[in-house]
């Protein structure tokens, strides 16, 4: 076409012309120079601006326009062509495109190119692997090695391709796949997995028929093995050390995601874009292979192993902060896998990394060990973790402690928390294993946890410590607190689904004693930090009541121990074994006892106040309040014969720590195979010996425990006999099993450590004897409290307080008695005042029920002020002690109640003063305390306390007055008996102390005698017994009135209680007066002269009444036991039985008198009559007196036959 040729020529001409013009204009610009400086500066700035522009900023706009068509072209070429040159160029294009996108920070383009290249590798699909696919794999690996620092999130497809490479290599080599191991049958236990793996051959056996997928995988795997070296794959992971901080974080993040997919059996999703889980709905793998889609993987651990390798490569080369970020992701992943059904290999990976990490020491300012080992703790804390995995973790912890304990710093806390968690594990095997590791830690690695090199730092040099030393010291204290909590976790304190074995709890208590020895030895120093009392798990947890900072820091070490033992002491969990109850509670008490007796000297007075008021006191009070066992309802029928004889006694004082018998026991204990090499500390040895004595059924005497320990292997019958002999009626009762030991521990502290602690411990004894707002008293508590109070009196000068306790008890008896009689007469329909009652209208039966009380008559009285309040002095109640007996004189003419008209200086007058607030006060002229106004405050407080005590224990329900008053009277009588009977031999007291004690005992003696002869009270006791059968008060009164005194049975009556109380009061007075008579007391001149006449008269009075009673009731006494013969409906010879011990005491005192002819002459007639009594014990003592004392007066020689 001619027109077309001309047109083309014209276009070429125009183009050439335009080109020449552009070249000329450019040449002109280059040749043109700036005329002035301003023009030159503008050109310079433009040049600098052009030079500062990064190449990526220039390339990015162009690449942003071209990358989409480019990837389409490259992908099309790779998919369709078979030309090697075209394939090679296309793959090079992919590599450069990925590099450009990465360096230009074009994440979308980069991810698109990487995913496209990953899909072209056909990894994760059932397609046949060709050469171009293998070349694509090589390019992908090369990109990850050279440009890995810029891949960021694109590492995901790359690592998934590498994961599939590992799967194909495994298939091509003929090895068993991971899923065949992980999905092995019965994969729920480590032992089963181990057995299954050991029974399998290493190479997969040939099969006759294989599916298409398996054959395709094997063929592809062989092709990859021939073309790609393992070194290239390993280089991807080893090159991670060259990645930047952000690069390694991105790499680890994506590797963790790939590993999680492998464990879940879904490791090719990000390559193919199809989840293997969605493929479960497909019909068959064959149909999938037809379409070339991806295959379904089983669980695999390839990436998990590579994760361990990456951690190993980077552990020593990365900065601490970078490594911390890396490990946070790894740890979270390992923790989640640790609770998976295929958790075994995750624990193994953790173990490998932990050993590698713990090979190097930790810097003082970091806590990387704690961060690194936390996955172990998180798996143990997870309730979904498997039992075999928890056991495997414990094995790993044990091995790490054995091999790397010298490098452990902050890692101790994680290990100890793990061991503490095992105490609550539902599997007993794991629980036992955890305590065994703790025991081995104490035996073999204690010197590394509590390093002795810290001993050089004194507590008083805290100001000289630098910050690093303070942090190290605080870390040590924190680890020690964690160690204490780990052992205390094995002490069964709270109800759980599975009870801890008793042996584990007792062994843990031995650990606590060991920890106390470490503190006392100075191997653990208190923290140097701000103390607090709010958070028990935080540093510096101490007692709020302490004010001195040094004392607060010191007690921050002791508080975890004391709080744990206090919780064990008051635990409500049943802990019985072999018929012995409350073993954990008793063991906790024994541990506290050992610690305080061995190390109590290191505590200050304020620290002791915390121990008693914040530890022992509240825990004992809580245990008492929670004990609702039937033992609190038991009331004996007599103070002398206890229904609670099955209760154990307080433990005897232990021998000193260097005692030879304790050393023998320690030697025997160390001779066992599992015994530690280290020596026992003082408290630990005492606890071990106490537990051995308890285990072998000893009596608490630790001097014999080595004999019991030596016999334990000689015969199996010993344990059976001990278990049978130790069976207790109330094994779950804290009062019946642990109560005596608990209060006895407090007594031992007062006697052995310091009697100055008595003001701090006084309220605890008072609560046992009189009750507290949270716990009403019972006979068991009263007997224990009174016995221990008497023990305190032997070593501590508390005579005034002891007298106050007895006086309180006497006033309580009077209060209860008045309440009982008042309610009784009200129940019978009588008014309180006699003028409202017409006695002429009453029947003889009704008149016989009324005695000389305020209900029927009102005598002339005088108002007096006493230390216990205002009262009425009744003239008819003046009681005079004559030489023969105690008579009550009705001296109505003497309104002042004075005894001056008697004219005998030795006569003692007793005043009965009913007080306005309900109690009755008894006092004598020898102790004129009622005229002393300087003690008004003390007496007023005593008066108020007694009134409050009784008002708290009484009830407004008058119909139950018998149930309220009779047991209370019995318990108060028991308390008086125990206190009076337990008064020890006192010496070197002040005259005021003797006076207070004798005055109180005299009040008790007088009151008990009045209650003994009180018929209203006797009737009330009988009514209480018969009311249990359903009779009302009127019916019981009529039955008792119709019954003669001879036929009335006094069993369980008031006579049994108050006659025993009177006897014990007489005995106590006689013992005190005899001690004054025989001893030369420097604090009281003339004590012997004071005591002799009173003692003589009292002894003669007792002997006279005893002989009268023996003549009258002696035939009722069983000669063998000096008690009733047991004939039904017959009276008991009460006076003979009750005062027999008093008579023996009198005779023993007489036998000690040398040269006092006046006393012997006065008592000789009674000795002659005592020869005929039916008590062999009394006759033997009389014979001894006659042979030694009387024979010397007669000038006769005493012979052994005569004696």
């Amino acid at each position: 076409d001619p027109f077309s040729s001309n047109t083309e020529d014209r276009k070429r001409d125009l183009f050439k012309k335009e080109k020449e013009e552009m070249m000329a204009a450019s040449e002109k610009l280059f040749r043109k120079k700036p005329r002035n400086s301003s023009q030159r500066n503008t050109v310079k700035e433009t040049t600098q601006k052009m030079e500062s522009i990064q190449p990526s900023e220039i390339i990015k706009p162009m690449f942003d326009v071209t990358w989409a068509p480019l990837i389409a072209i490259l992908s099309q070429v790779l998919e369709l062509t078979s030309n090697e040159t075209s394939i090679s160029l296309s793959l090079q294009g992919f590599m450069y495109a990925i590099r450009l996108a990465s360096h230009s920070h074009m994440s979308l383009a980069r991810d698109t190119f990487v995913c496209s290249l990953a899909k072209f590798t056909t990894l994760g699909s059932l397609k046949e692997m060709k050469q171009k696919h293998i070349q694509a794999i090589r390019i992908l690996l090369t990109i990850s090695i050279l440009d890995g620092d810029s891949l960021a999130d694109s590492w995901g497809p790359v690592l998934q391709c590498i994961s599939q490479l590992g799967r194909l290599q495994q298939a091509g080599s003929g090895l068993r796949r991971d899923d065949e191991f992980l999905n092995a049958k019965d994969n729920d236990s480590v032992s089963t997995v181990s057995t299954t793996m050991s029974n399998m051959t290493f190479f997969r056996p040939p099969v006759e028929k294989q599916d298409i997928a398996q054959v395709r995988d094997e063929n592809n795997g062989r092709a990859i093995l021939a073309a790609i070296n393992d070194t290239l794959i390993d280089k991807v992971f080893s090159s991670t050390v060259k990645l930047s901080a952000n690069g390694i974080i991105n790499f680890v993040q994506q590797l963790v995601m790939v590993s999680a997919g492998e464990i879940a059996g879904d490791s090719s999703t990000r390559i193919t874009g199809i989840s293997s889980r969605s493929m479960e709905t497909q019909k068959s793998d064959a149909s999938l292979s037809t379409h070339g889609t991806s295959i379904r993987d089983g669980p695999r651990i390839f990436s998990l192993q590579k994760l361990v390798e990456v951690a190993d490569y980077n552990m020593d080369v990365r900065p601490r902060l970078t490594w911390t970020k890396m490990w946070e992701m790894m740890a979270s992943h390992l923790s989640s896998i640790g609770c998976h059904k295929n958790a075994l290999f995750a624990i193994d990976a953790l173990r490998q990394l932990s050993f590698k990490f713990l090979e190097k020491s930790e810097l003082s300012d970091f806590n990387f060990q704690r961060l690194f080992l936390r996955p172990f703790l998180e798996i143990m804390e997870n309730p979904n973790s498997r039992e075999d995995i928890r056991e495997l973790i414990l094995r790993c912890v044990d091995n790490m402690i054995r091999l790397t304990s010298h490098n452990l710093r902050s890692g101790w806390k994680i290990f100890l928390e793990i061991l503490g968690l095992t105490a609550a594990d539902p599997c007993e095997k794991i629980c036992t294993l955890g305590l065994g590791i703790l025991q081995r830690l104490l035996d073999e690695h204690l010197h590394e946890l509590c390093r002795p090199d810290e001993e050089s730092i004194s507590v008083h040099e805290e100001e000289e410590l630098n910050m690093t030393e303070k942090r190290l010291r605080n870390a040590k204290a924190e680890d020690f607190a964690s160690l204490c909590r780990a052992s205390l976790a094995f002490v069964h304190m709270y109800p759980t689904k599975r009870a801890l074995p008793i042996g584990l709890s007792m062994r843990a208590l031995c650990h606590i004693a060991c920890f106390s020895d470490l503190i006392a030895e100075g191997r653990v120093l208190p923290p140097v930090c701000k103390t607090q009392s709010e958070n028990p798990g935080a540093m510096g947890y101490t007692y709020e009541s302490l004010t001195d900072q040094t004392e607060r820091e010191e007690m921050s070490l002791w508080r975890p121990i004391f709080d744990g033992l206090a919780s064990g002491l008051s635990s409500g969990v049943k802990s019985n074994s072999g018929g012995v109850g409350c073993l954990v509670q008793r063991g906790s008490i024994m541990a506290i006892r050992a610690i305080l007796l061995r190390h109590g000297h290191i505590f200050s007075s304020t620290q002791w106040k915390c121990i008693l008021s914040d530890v022992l006191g509240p825990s004992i009070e809580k245990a008492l309040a929670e004990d609702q066992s039937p033992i609190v309802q038991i009331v004996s029928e007599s103070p002398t014969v206890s229904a609670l004889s099955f209760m154990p006694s307080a433990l005897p004082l232990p021998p000193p720590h260097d005692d030879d018998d304790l050393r023998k026991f320690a030697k025997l204990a160390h001779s066992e195979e599992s015994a530690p090499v280290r020596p026992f500390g003082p408290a630990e040895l005492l606890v071990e010996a106490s537990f051995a004595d308890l285990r072998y059924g000893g009596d608490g005497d630790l001097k014999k425990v080595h004999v019991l320990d030596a016999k334990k292997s000689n015969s199996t019958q010993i344990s059976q006999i001990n278990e049978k002999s130790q069976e207790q009626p109330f094994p779950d009762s804290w009062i019946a099993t642990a109560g005596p030991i608990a209060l006895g521990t407090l007594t031992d502290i007062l006697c052995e450590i310091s009697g100055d602690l008595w003001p701090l411990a006084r309220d605890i004894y008072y609560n046992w004897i009189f009750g507290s707002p949270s716990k009403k008293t019972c006979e068991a508590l009263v007997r224990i409290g009174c016995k221990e109070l008497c023990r305190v009196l032997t070593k501590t000068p508390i005579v005034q307080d002891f007298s106050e306790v007895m006086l309180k008890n006497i006033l309580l008896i009077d209060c209860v008695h008045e309440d009982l009689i008042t309610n009784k007469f009200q129940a019978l329909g009588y008014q309180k005042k006699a003028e409202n009652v017409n006695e002429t209208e009453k029947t003889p039966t009704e008149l016989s029920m009324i005695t000389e009380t305020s209900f029927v008559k009102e005598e002339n009285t005088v108002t007096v002020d006493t230390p216990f309040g205002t009262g009425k002095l009744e003239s008819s109640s003046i009681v005079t002690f004559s030489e023969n007996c105690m008579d009550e004189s009705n001296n109505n003419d003497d309104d002042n109640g004075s005894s001056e008209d008697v004219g005998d200086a030795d006569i003692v007058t007793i005043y009965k003063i009913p007080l306005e607030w309900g109690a009755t006060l008894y006092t004598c002229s020898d102790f004129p305390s009622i005229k002393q106004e300087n003690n008004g405050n003390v007496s007023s407080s005593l008066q108020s306390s007694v009134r409050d005590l009784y008002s708290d224990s009484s009830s407004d329900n008058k119909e139950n007055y018998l149930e309220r008053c009779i047991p209370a009277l019995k318990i108060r009588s028991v308390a008086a008996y125990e206190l009076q009977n337990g008064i020890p031999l006192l010496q070197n007291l002040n005259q005021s102390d003797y006076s207070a004690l004798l005055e109180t005992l005299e009040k008790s003696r007088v009151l008990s005698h009045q209650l003994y002869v009180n018929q209203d009270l006797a009737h009330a006791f009988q009514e209480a017994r018969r009311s249990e059968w359903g009779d009302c008060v009127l019916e019981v009164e009529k039955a008792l009135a119709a019954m003669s005194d001879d036929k009335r049975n006094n069993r369980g009556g008031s006579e049994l209680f108050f006659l025993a109380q009177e006897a014990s009061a007489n005995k106590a007075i006689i013992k005190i007066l005899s001690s004054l008579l025989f001893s030369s007391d420097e604090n009281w001149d003339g004590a012997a002269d004071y005591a002799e006449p009173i003692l003589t008269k009292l002894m003669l009075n007792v002997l006279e009444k005893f002989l009268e009673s023996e003549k009258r009731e002696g035939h009722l006494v069983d000669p063998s036991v000096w008690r009733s013969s047991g004939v039904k409906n017959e009276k008991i010879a009460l006076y003979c039985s009750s005062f027999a011990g008093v008579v023996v005491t009198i005779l023993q005192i007489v036998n000690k008198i040398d040269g006092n002819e006046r006393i012997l002459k006065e008592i000789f007639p009674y000795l002659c009559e005592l020869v005929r009594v039916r008590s062999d014990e009394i006759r033997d003592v009389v014979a001894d007196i006659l042979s030694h004392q009387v024979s010397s007066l007669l000038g006769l020689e005493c012979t052994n036959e005569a004696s």
Side-chain angles (χ1 to χ4, degrees), residues 827-830 846 849 1023 1031-1039:
L828 293 173
Y830 293 104
E846 292 172 337
M849 292 185 291
E1023 290 167 7
D1031 296 340
C1032 65
V1033 177
L1034 290 175
E1035 293 174 348
V1036 174
E1037 280 292 329
K1038 291 179 180 180

Side-chain angles (χ1 to χ4, degrees), residues 126-164:
L126 293 176
K127 290 183 178 181
E128 181 181 357
M129 186 77 63
K130 297 180 181 180
Q131 184 62 32
K132 62 180 180 180
H133 301 142
I134 295 177
Q135 291 181 11
I137 294 173
R138 287 179 176 273
I139 291 297
L140 193 64
L141 294 177
T142 302
I143 292 172
S144 63
I145 294 172
L146 297 179
D147 300 303
D149 205 26
S150 303
L151 286 180
D153 293 341
S154 298
W155 270 114
V158 175
L159 293 174
Q160 283 190 326
C161 288
I162 295 175
S163 172
Q164 291 299 314

Side-chain angles (χ1 to χ4, degrees), residues 934-1047:
N934 55 349
N935 291 331
N937 294 332
V938 177
S939 301
S940 180
S941 62
L942 180 62
Q943 166 189 338
S944 176
S945 64
V946 173
R947 185 167 57 249
D948 293 340
L949 275 175
Y950 185 62
S951 62
D952 291 340
S953 61
S954 63
S955 172
D956 293 333
N957 188 359
K958 303 302 181 183
E959 294 181 357
N960 295 325
Y961 73 94
L962 290 176
E963 297 178 4
R964 180 179 72 249
C965 297
I966 298 300
L969 275 176
K970 291 180 178 180
I971 292 173
R972 290 300 108 209
S973 178
V974 168
Y977 173 81
E978 292 287 353
L979 290 171
Q980 294 163 178
N981 203 46
I983 294 178
L985 181 62
L986 301 174
Q987 294 181 351
N988 299 325
L989 297 181
N990 296 324
Q991 182 176 354
S992 59
D993 292 338
Y994 281 117
S995 299
L997 194 57
L998 289 171
E999 178 185 2
T1000 307
L1001 288 171
E1002 183 64 22
K1003 293 175 182 178
S1004 177
R1005 188 175 75 89
V1006 172
L1007 177 63
S1008 58
H1009 179 77
Q1010 291 179 352
L1011 297 180
Y1012 161 59
V1013 299
N1014 191 315
Q1015 292 301 312
D1016 286 330
L1017 188 60
H1019 279 209
F1021 270 67
Q1022 295 297 329
E1023 290 167 7
R1025 296 186 62 190
R1026 293 174 178 266
S1027 64
E1028 298 175 357
W1029 306 340
D1031 296 340
C1032 65
V1033 177
L1034 290 175
E1035 293 174 348
V1036 174
E1037 280 292 329
K1038 291 179 180 180
L1040 293 175
M1043 187 181 299
S1044 62
D1045 292 340
D1046 295 335
K1047 295 182 178 180

Side-chain angles (χ1 to χ4, degrees), residues 81 716 848:
T81 186
T716 58
S848 66

Side-chain angles (χ1 to χ4, degrees), residues 7 105 146 154 206 265 273 287 437 465 467 495-496 503 535 552 622 640 696 868 876 1042 1061 1105-1106 1120:
T7 303
H105 305 291
L146 297 179
S154 298
S287 64
I437 296 174
L465 299 177
M467 292 302 299
T496 55
N535 186 3
R552 289 175 65 88
K622 178 184 176 184
T640 57
Y696 303 136
F868 311 101
S876 62
Q1061 178 182 341
K1105 290 187 177 181
F1106 177 80
S1120 60

Side-chain angles (χ1 to χ4, degrees), residues 256 307 326-339 350 371 374-375 378-379:
V256 164
L307 188 65
M326 290 174 55
W327 183 247
E328 286 178 353
M329 294 182 290
M330 294 182 185
S332 177
H333 176 58
L334 293 173
S335 298
S336 62
I337 298 177
C339 301
L350 267 175
L371 177 67
R374 182 163 291 279
E378 293 177 352
I379 297 173

